[in-house]
Amino acid sequence: MTDKKMISLILGCMCILLSAGIAIQVRTIGGIGTSTGSNSTENQLRDAILKTKENYDNLYEALEKAEVKLETERTNATQNNSELTDLENNIKEANKQLGLTEVTGEGVIVTLNDSTVPLTGSTILSDPNDYLIHYEDIISIINELKNAGAEAISINGQRIVANSVIKCDGTVIKVNGQKIGTPFVISAIGMQETLAQVNRYYGYLWKMKNEWNLDVSFERTKNPITIPKYTGTIKFNYAQSQ
Amino acid sequence: MIVIAIILGCVIGAVIGINAPVIPYTYSTFLAIAVVAALDSVFGGIRSVLKKNFDLVVFITGFFCNSILSIALTYLGQKLNIDIYLAALLVFVGRMFTNLTIIRLHYIDKWKEAKAQKQAKPKAIEEK
């Protein structure tokens, strides 16, 4: 009897290991959101991309840690010297203006989505393009936000900086070289009263909503919003200050 | 009792697996090959139970050694830039099919025997 108990205990433990392994594996593959294709070259390429992406994520994490360390080192080094403290503050201010630091503050969130009105295909006048959000719409909204005094803007987590490009890329839109799709969530930090002017009567947003029937919304957030930093590099090779 | 332990183990394992953190994609190949090796050991164990030469020590060592060795071979293959895990997969899955065939044949034989006995029984009564 004890022998049988022993066997069942060991078998039970093995089953735990086995099914836990299977479940973790299924979740790992499921989380990536890809299925195994029938083409082996395709699988290899996908595998290579996923591994590279993971490597990139790890390296980026390490970089962020190193930056935090650098920041603390700098603060420690400049603690007892008022001149250096001023320089340190200058660097911080400059980074903030360049969009190289994460910022938090009061602001608004504009959400743009494709039209939910069904396409009436019978008439010649109905063009499917009229029912979608285009990059021009995003540029116009960002322009209005900037005009209303936005200090920091991001689209779907991509920070808008001085050299950001918003570009049409087929069915998606490229911001800072990263592909983003609907819904476009544009967050802007600034004085809420002036930013609310973006939502004014007969403004661009109003037109999008009422004339073109696009699914847009405007929200004045109660909680402070956080806008991530710009993750690309800013390089000046030709422009030199006098 | 053994059946209960197996079912309970599977359920607990699935619950643990669902709640456990996801492993990085880079290492998912290792886990996959280990799972296949373990499955092969399980089918081998079932076969040996049916053949009545089941040895617990052999089974346990097979379960763990096969998994660990297959992971090690996969790692070596990655270092040498050759897909050794494909060979391991071929062996494991091939053996799994062999074992499944043996298990299937065993149950077919049993079923046939039972059927033959059923047909034979009424005759015996009649003869009496």
Side-chain angles (χ1 to χ4, degrees):
Chain A
M1 191 61 200
T2 45
D3 202 37
K4 217 174 179 185
K5 262 185 186 168
M6 183 85 167
I7 290 175
S8 35
L9 195 71
I10 289 166
L11 280 179
C13 289
M14 281 178 172
C15 284
I16 289 175
L17 282 179
L18 190 58
S19 46
I22 292 173
I24 291 174
Q25 179 71 4
V26 167
R27 278 180 56 231
T28 307
I29 301 301
I32 289 157
T34 57
S35 52
T36 315
S38 51
N39 190 333
S40 99
T41 323
E42 193 187 313
N43 283 341
Q44 278 172 10
L45 288 174
R46 186 191 294 129
D47 194 55
I49 289 173
L50 286 170
K51 277 179 184 164
T52 312
K53 192 170 170 285
E54 201 170 80
N55 198 12
Y56 172 82
D57 288 344
N58 288 343
L59 288 175
Y60 189 75
E61 216 169 90
L63 174 71
E64 276 192 335
K65 267 184 198 161
E67 269 175 2
V68 169
K69 205 179 163 196
L70 176 69
E71 191 66 31
T72 49
E73 288 286 322
R74 244 196 232 149
T75 320
N76 286 343
T78 58
Q79 228 166 18
N80 300 321
N81 192 326
S82 65
E83 208 174 307
L84 288 176
T85 316
D86 281 351
L87 283 174
E88 165 75 6
N89 286 338
N90 278 349
I91 291 174
K92 272 187 186 163
E93 189 61 32
N95 275 345
K96 199 168 84 183
Q97 285 179 6
L98 282 171
L100 295 176
T101 50
E102 194 181 89
V103 286
T104 311
E106 66 167 84
V108 296
I109 292 175
V110 182
T111 311
L112 310 176
N113 218 331
D114 294 338
S115 180
T116 49
V117 179
L119 180 68
T120 46
S122 54
T123 60
I124 266 175
L125 290 170
S126 63
D127 181 359
N129 281 327
D130 293 345
Y131 291 77
L132 303 174
I133 302 284
H134 294 277
Y135 77 101
E136 297 99 328
D137 300 325
I138 292 179
I139 291 176
S140 301
I141 293 294
I142 284 184
N143 208 13
E144 292 216 356
L145 282 168
K146 279 182 179 169
N147 195 23
E151 290 168 3
I153 302 171
S154 73
I155 309 174
N156 288 16
Q158 286 298 322
R159 179 77 172 263
I160 301 298
V161 291
N163 59 351
S164 284
V165 177
I166 298 169
K167 171 173 172 274
C168 182
D169 193 58
T171 54
V172 292
I173 288 172
K174 263 188 171 177
V175 178
N176 292 344
Q178 301 279 329
K179 284 176 187 164
I180 58 168
T182 51
F184 300 106
V185 181
I186 304 176
S187 318
I189 291 180
M191 193 185 182
Q192 280 186 337
E193 284 71 29
T194 54
L195 286 178
Q197 285 303 306
V198 173
N199 200 22
R200 72 185 180 280
Y201 181 65
Y202 237 81
Y204 196 86
L205 202 67
W206 187 90
K207 273 190 202 166
M208 283 176 87
K209 191 170 193 162
N210 296 295
E211 288 191 355
W212 307 326
N213 290 319
L214 296 165
D215 183 16
V216 303
S217 70
F218 183 88
E219 191 198 345
R220 283 168 72 152
T221 54
K222 290 187 184 72
N223 301 325
I225 49 177
T226 303
I227 288 186
K229 64 179 180 181
Y230 177 61
T231 52
T233 51
I234 298 173
K235 238 183 178 179
F236 282 80
N237 288 332
Y238 300 98
Q240 268 156 14
S241 50
Q242 296 293 314
Chain B
M1 185 161 182
I2 291 175
V3 176
I4 293 169
I6 288 173
I7 292 169
L8 205 69
C10 285
V11 171
I12 293 171
V15 170
I16 291 173
I18 286 166
N19 292 313
V22 171
I23 57 157
Y25 180 77
T26 318
Y27 302 117
S28 67
T29 320
F30 297 112
L31 185 59
I33 197 81
V35 163
V36 172
L39 264 179
D40 168 58
S41 299
V42 167
F43 283 120
I46 294 172
R47 191 200 66 171
S48 60
V49 166
L50 294 181
K51 292 265 164 185
K52 293 193 173 61
N53 56 0
F54 179 77
D55 188 339
L56 193 62
V57 179
V58 172
F59 180 61
I60 295 168
T61 49
F63 186 90
F64 289 106
C65 286
N66 274 357
S67 304
I68 293 165
L69 269 178
S70 59
I71 289 174
L73 277 177
T74 309
Y75 180 72
L76 181 70
Q78 279 191 352
K79 288 289 152 212
L80 297 176
N81 194 20
I82 187 169
D83 292 340
I84 291 183
Y85 74 92
L86 283 180
L89 209 63
L90 209 67
V91 171
F92 287 137
V93 177
R95 215 157 60 186
M96 242 194 268
F97 275 115
T98 321
N99 286 337
L100 278 173
T101 309
I102 290 169
I103 293 165
R104 181 170 51 92
L105 290 179
H106 177 88
Y107 280 109
I108 286 175
D109 279 351
K110 249 190 170 177
W111 178 68
K112 272 185 180 166
E113 261 175 37
K115 213 175 168 187
Q117 270 185 4
K118 246 188 189 175
Q119 280 178 347
K121 257 186 185 174
K123 268 184 190 173
I125 293 163
E126 271 175 27
E127 276 172 11
K128 268 181 184 177

